[in-house]
Amino acid sequence: MRDYYSPMAEFYEIVAARQVASSGPPLVAALTGVDPAAGPIVEIGAGTGRVTEVIAAAVPRARIVAAEPSALMRAVLTSRIAALPDLSPRVTVIDGAAPDLDLPDTIAAAVVFGVAGHLAPPARRALWRRLRERLAPDGVIVVELMGVRATRVIPPTLQIQERVGRQTYEWWVSGTPRGPDLMRFTTTWKVLGQGDQPVREVTDSYDWYTLDTDRLAAEAELTGRRISRLGSTILPEIAALSR
């Protein structure tokens, strides 16, 4: 699987803060009632660990396996976990990518944020099958889906503008359809200095398969429910899958 995040790793924490603000509360709601004795919670695509902290707070006694394939992102993730005495005994960081990463025999829950749309349908179905086979009877799989439920043209849109020190960071996103259920997204970070003078610009593109909760549940062969309101490109749809 391609490393989608290293080219933008230096900016990821700015995005992650917004992600936790929008996706954190529905994630906590979905994890309510998860039995930590049933097995670890597996987080696939743990990024820099912001969502890992939400999982740990939502299920205080749970063990967590946090999988992240990007070495740059994993470095921040490991540093974050190691610096938190409450988390370091509970969180195991592994290098692994969906759908082929090593999984425990039984899991209490799985959290799949920012990953599903990167996977082609056969790879997604393989991931859901592997998670379903290991999921505890009362377990849940929580999936973050980008706010784009169907292909459409998205003109360059400013998603984030954040001031850090003497520089302003702008995140621009655009998208074009590449097939019935496939988008090509282009993301650009612009770093502006004093007087909004350009300092540098970093651009990358990736393909993303569009999904909504109903289609996700059908291909996972599980019951699905949407636990967040429909959002924009940066405000995702959060789905919970269970037996």
Side-chain angles (χ1 to χ4, degrees), residues 142-159:
V142 190
V143 184
E144 181 189 63
L145 305 172
M146 193 175 289
V148 180
R149 295 159 56 93
T151 58
R152 69 177 191 267
V153 174
I154 301 173
T157 304
L158 179 62
Q159 300 284 356

Side-chain angles (χ1 to χ4, degrees), residues 184-206:
R184 167 60 63 89
F185 283 100
T186 297
T187 65
T188 299
W189 280 94
K190 298 180 180 181
V191 183
L192 308 176
Q194 294 193 27
D196 289 336
Q197 292 298 309
V199 174
R200 57 197 176 93
E201 189 172 295
V202 182
T203 297
D204 192 29
S205 296
Y206 60 90

Side-chain angles (χ1 to χ4, degrees), residues 21-240:
S22 63
S23 297
L27 173 59
V28 171
L31 293 176
T32 299
V34 165
D35 180 8
I41 296 174
V42 174
E43 183 186 8
I44 299 174
T48 57
R50 292 268 188 159
V51 174
T52 314
E53 291 183 278
V54 174
I55 297 169
V59 191
R61 291 183 293 112
R63 291 172 292 121
I64 301 168
V65 177
E68 174 51 53
S70 166
L72 293 179
M73 302 282 276
R74 198 168 59 250
V76 181
L77 168 65
T78 303
S79 298
R80 171 171 270 123
I81 299 305
L84 297 171
D86 291 341
L87 265 63
S88 57
R90 298 169 51 197
V91 180
T92 301
V93 176
I94 65 171
D95 175 7
D100 302 319
L101 73 166
D102 290 335
L103 293 171
D105 292 338
T106 304
I107 60 175
V111 176
V112 187
F113 273 28
V115 173
H118 288 308
L119 302 176
R124 287 201 310 265
R125 287 191 289 269
L127 175 62
W128 309 140
R129 174 182 54 77
R130 297 187 68 221
L131 294 175
R132 188 176 64 240
E133 291 172 349
R134 292 161 173 81
L135 190 65
D138 295 326
V140 64
I141 303 170
V142 190
V143 184
E144 181 189 63
L145 305 172
M146 193 175 289
V148 180
R149 295 159 56 93
T151 58
R152 69 177 191 267
V153 174
I154 301 173
T157 304
L158 179 62
Q159 300 284 356
I160 288 177
Q161 187 177 57
E162 185 110 356
R163 186 79 175 175
V164 180
R166 296 183 177 181
Q167 298 183 145
T168 299
Y169 293 79
E170 293 185 349
W171 184 37
W172 293 79
V173 176
S174 63
T176 55
R178 285 178 56 85
D181 301 309
L182 183 62
M183 291 281 294
R184 167 60 63 89
F185 283 100
T186 297
T187 65
T188 299
W189 280 94
K190 298 180 180 181
V191 183
L192 308 176
Q194 294 193 27
D196 289 336
Q197 292 298 309
V199 174
R200 57 197 176 93
E201 189 172 295
V202 182
T203 297
D204 192 29
S205 296
Y206 60 90
D207 288 340
W208 183 270
Y209 291 88
T210 58
L211 274 172
D212 60 21
T213 297
D214 291 340
R215 290 179 54 207
L216 172 65
E219 72 177 24
E221 300 180 29
L222 292 167
T223 299
R225 60 189 176 93
R226 180 166 51 83
I227 54 174
S228 67
R229 66 182 180 85
L230 296 179
S232 65
T233 306
I234 197 174
L235 293 176
E237 177 179 348
I238 310 297

